[in-house]
Amino acid sequence: MTRPNIVLIVADDMGYSDLGCYGGEIRTPNLDRLGRCGTRMTQFYNTARCSPSRASLLTGLHPHQTGIGILASPSRAGGYDGDLNDRCVTIAEVLADAGYATSLSGKWHLSASVWKPSNSWPTRRGFDDFFGTLSGCGSYYDPSTLRRGEADASTEARDPAFFYTDAITDHAVGFIRRQADAQRPFLAYVAYTAPHWPLHAPEEDVAGYDGVYDAGWDELRGRRLQRLRAEGLLGPESSLSTRDTTQPPWDAAQHKAWEARRMQVYAAQIERMDRGIGRILDQLVTSGIRDDTIVVFLSDNGGCAETLPLGAPEEFRAKREIVPPATRDGAHLRIGNEPTIDPGPEDTYASYGVAWANLSNTPFRLYKRWVHEGGIATPFLVHWPAGGLASGHIVRTPFQLTDVLPTLLDAADVDYPRENRGREVPPPEGRSMLPALRGAQVPDATLFWEHLGNAAVRRGRWKLVSEYRGRWELYDMDGDRSEMNDLAHRHPGLVTELAAEYQHWARRVGVLPRA
């Protein structure tokens, strides 16, 4: 058979409803076309945070089995290695052994060492071609830990035209062009940092959203849910969760122009990424390999409610004059005694805040780091014309990240190895999604999550979930996807049963108790 090419695209900290084809008002025409002409999933789940999600995506294992139980870190955070271990194998290693060319464009974030090469660097975990960053986040104008292969590439960011999202796209397009010319099957892993903070975007992109967010988060959450239902992705089982109780209603919010500006920059980051994805899709067409290429898109976690200081970091503040209180001139605004700067330019470093993250995760509640739906539900798009996928199909069966590697290996007709680097590796935890993607009805599997003590198990319609040091909550996903009506008190036996399943799984995969 002709082995398909694979383009695996990951967004960073993007919520469930941000894309146009998932109900958002952000302009994402390329991903919208990909989703509506391909296959979309309504209940695909990530692992709540960047490093663990990437570890699970690339290995088919739960993150605890890979050494990345919390984050890539040299400090053994939570007792985990904090480093992608040699007891797992990446999809790049498996496909490289099968004759694929392999490339990573963008963020790695699976190595405890980001300055000195180690065996957990992408260049030593199956990726022949690497351009990107080893750390978790940073400036889009001057990203830290930028590498080309294992060589420092920081001088490339000195070009005044450099913007990291565009540079990731440039590298991916070049790799695809070369492999298509060589007629060699390839894996292009494209790991954007957009729209992870800091909120950085060219001003012309930000200006394109003038007025779009003036209606505020309450009105826009309702509109997004209406569009999600119109797209056929959600139904009456998914009510609009209540606004985060820590946030004011939009009518009572202060500094609305500044708040709207934050969301404008976030939207501009996503649109810029979508524009780059359009270039990747165009290259597939130009190279004549569109139909034989599997394109997958997802986000590594839900919208991020992490709130950075309202202003720029101290080292940036010296570069700008801060105007007196209660006045505004261009980008400057003072809120109380805290000087702030409109985000977007290179000398700012901001996040978009809790209320806008609540919008991103419409209609769900909670955020990145939690394993309630707002933290783990992601858009998931698959496009593969030659693969027998039903055009415009919507898959409602729940799946999670451990299912991606088995699916791609199944599509490529490549066997998973029994060992890696002379050590036996555990089999993938997931299953191939190909039958479901091709329109077949498949049975549900039991799904599990844990991050920072937040825990969940889902079996069929039932989801048992708890926050760290909280009690178990039970939700009927068929009638309450937004997790608004806790039924634990009505079904104590089911709570006990599912909790026991979770504990068995946690022991088996090496979940460590949080101190």
Side-chain angles (χ1 to χ4, degrees):
M1 70 176 259
T2 299
R3 283 183 165 159
N5 308 300
I6 299 169
V7 178
L8 179 58
I9 306 172
V10 179
D12 200 345
D13 284 13
M14 193 193 77
Y16 183 80
S17 66
D18 282 326
L19 299 183
C21 64
Y22 274 78
E25 68 290 320
I26 300 173
R27 293 184 289 270
T28 54
N30 297 293
L31 286 167
D32 294 348
R33 184 171 66 253
L34 194 75
R36 290 173 181 141
C37 295
T39 298
R40 285 175 286 177
M41 292 191 175
T42 65
Q43 299 187 83
F44 189 89
Y45 295 106
N46 52 46
T47 313
R49 205 169 181 193
C50 39
S51 289
S53 283
R54 284 165 170 73
S56 189
L57 173 70
L58 294 177
T59 66
L61 302 176
H62 293 287
H64 318 82
Q65 298 169 287
T66 73
I68 310 289
I70 296 180
L71 280 177
S73 168
S75 64
R76 289 185 58 83
Y80 298 101
D81 295 339
D83 209 40
L84 192 68
N85 62 37
D86 59 4
R87 299 183 297 280
C88 61
V89 59
T90 72
I91 188 171
E93 291 172 299
V94 178
L95 291 178
D97 287 346
Y100 273 69
T102 57
S103 173
L104 164 58
S105 308
K107 173 177 170 176
W108 180 239
H109 204 200
L110 292 175
S111 178
S113 172
V114 297
W115 301 110
K116 182 179 179 181
S118 76
N119 286 334
S120 58
W121 277 31
T123 45
R124 306 185 185 194
R125 299 310 300 261
F127 289 98
D128 305 321
D129 190 357
F130 168 52
F131 170 78
T133 44
L134 296 160
S135 56
C137 63
S139 170
Y140 288 73
Y141 299 96
D142 186 16
S144 65
T145 71
L146 189 65
R147 293 287 186 275
R148 190 171 289 277
E150 294 188 357
D152 174 46
S154 58
T155 57
E156 298 185 33
R158 295 175 188 168
D159 184 335
F162 181 91
F163 191 73
Y164 191 31
T165 301
D166 297 343
I168 291 170
T169 298
D170 291 342
H171 182 260
V173 168
F175 172 78
I176 291 169
R177 182 189 305 116
R178 291 192 301 274
Q179 303 313 318
D181 290 345
Q183 298 185 342
R184 184 180 179 188
F186 61 80
L187 164 68
Y189 175 36
V190 186
Y192 287 103
T193 54
H196 194 295
W197 50 258
L199 294 172
H200 281 166
E203 186 59 33
E204 62 270 20
D205 290 350
V206 179
Y209 286 91
D210 284 350
V212 172
Y213 295 101
D214 291 354
W217 41 71
D218 295 315
E219 175 68 23
L220 292 170
R221 289 183 75 225
R223 294 179 191 174
R224 284 194 178 194
L225 179 56
Q226 289 177 356
R227 288 192 293 265
L228 276 160
R229 289 175 173 167
E231 292 278 351
L233 294 169
L234 297 180
E237 81 290 338
S238 301
S239 61
L240 187 64
S241 63
T242 55
R243 182 194 330 105
D244 189 303
T245 56
T246 67
Q247 302 303 299
W250 179 254
D251 288 347
Q254 295 183 326
H255 314 294
K256 290 185 176 64
W258 178 75
E259 287 285 8
R261 167 76 184 203
R262 298 166 87 188
M263 190 63 196
Q264 283 184 241
V265 182
Y266 177 87
Q269 290 178 301
I270 292 176
E271 184 176 4
R272 191 89 178 196
M273 175 182 66
D274 180 81
R275 200 177 304 153
I277 292 169
R279 291 179 52 208
I280 291 171
L281 300 178
D282 288 346
Q283 185 60 54
L284 297 177
V285 172
T286 300
S287 296
I289 56 174
R290 169 185 171 270
D291 288 359
D292 294 320
T293 300
I294 305 169
V295 181
V296 175
F297 175 88
L298 70 154
S299 177
D300 64 351
N301 45 249
C304 175
E306 295 163 359
T307 301
L308 302 186
L310 291 177
E314 290 297 331
E315 62 269 26
F316 291 152
R317 289 184 181 176
K319 298 180 181 180
R320 289 189 179 226
E321 176 188 359
I322 301 300
V323 297
T327 66
R328 186 182 185 93
D329 179 18
H332 305 290
L333 171 70
R334 183 182 289 271
I335 297 181
N337 294 320
E338 179 66 30
T340 69
I341 297 173
D342 280 353
E346 180 177 0
D347 59 351
T348 64
Y349 208 96
S351 61
Y352 73 158
V354 176
W356 291 124
N358 203 185
L359 170 67
S360 286
N361 294 337
T362 300
F364 309 128
R365 63 185 182 93
L366 293 180
Y367 316 95
K368 170 186 177 179
R369 298 164 65 105
W370 282 269
V371 295
H372 286 72
E373 295 292 285
I376 58 176
T378 172
F380 192 92
L381 319 177
V382 188
H383 186 265
W384 184 23
L389 276 60
S391 178
H393 183 50
I394 294 176
V395 174
R396 304 186 189 279
T397 304
F399 289 102
Q400 63 182 146
L401 286 175
T402 53
D403 300 313
V404 175
L405 179 144
T407 301
L408 297 178
L409 295 187
D410 186 12
D413 194 27
V414 172
D415 293 331
Y416 184 85
R418 293 173 178 248
E419 63 177 39
N420 180 46
R421 303 184 184 194
R423 297 187 63 164
E424 185 176 349
V425 293
E429 292 282 330
R431 55 180 175 156
S432 175
M433 299 181 288
L434 274 185
L437 294 173
R438 288 170 171 158
Q441 293 294 317
V442 297
D444 289 340
T446 303
L447 310 180
F448 299 92
W449 300 266
E450 188 280 336
H451 184 63
L452 293 173
N454 302 312
V457 53
R458 178 167 177 181
R459 189 181 70 192
R461 69 189 299 166
W462 296 106
K463 180 181 176 185
L464 191 71
V465 60
S466 71
E467 296 185 52
Y468 174 55
R469 290 183 174 171
R471 62 175 180 78
W472 286 113
E473 305 161 17
L474 181 69
Y475 297 102
D476 177 0
M477 293 285 103
D478 285 356
D480 182 24
R481 178 88 188 275
S482 300
E483 299 169 317
M484 298 299 294
N485 184 22
D486 179 10
L487 300 175
H489 64 290
R490 294 189 185 179
H491 303 281
L494 182 57
V495 170
T496 300
E497 181 182 338
L498 290 174
E501 281 196 57
Y502 171 82
Q503 293 298 339
H504 174 76
W505 168 82
R507 287 190 297 270
R508 182 176 64 79
V509 303
V511 173
L512 300 177
R514 188 180 179 193

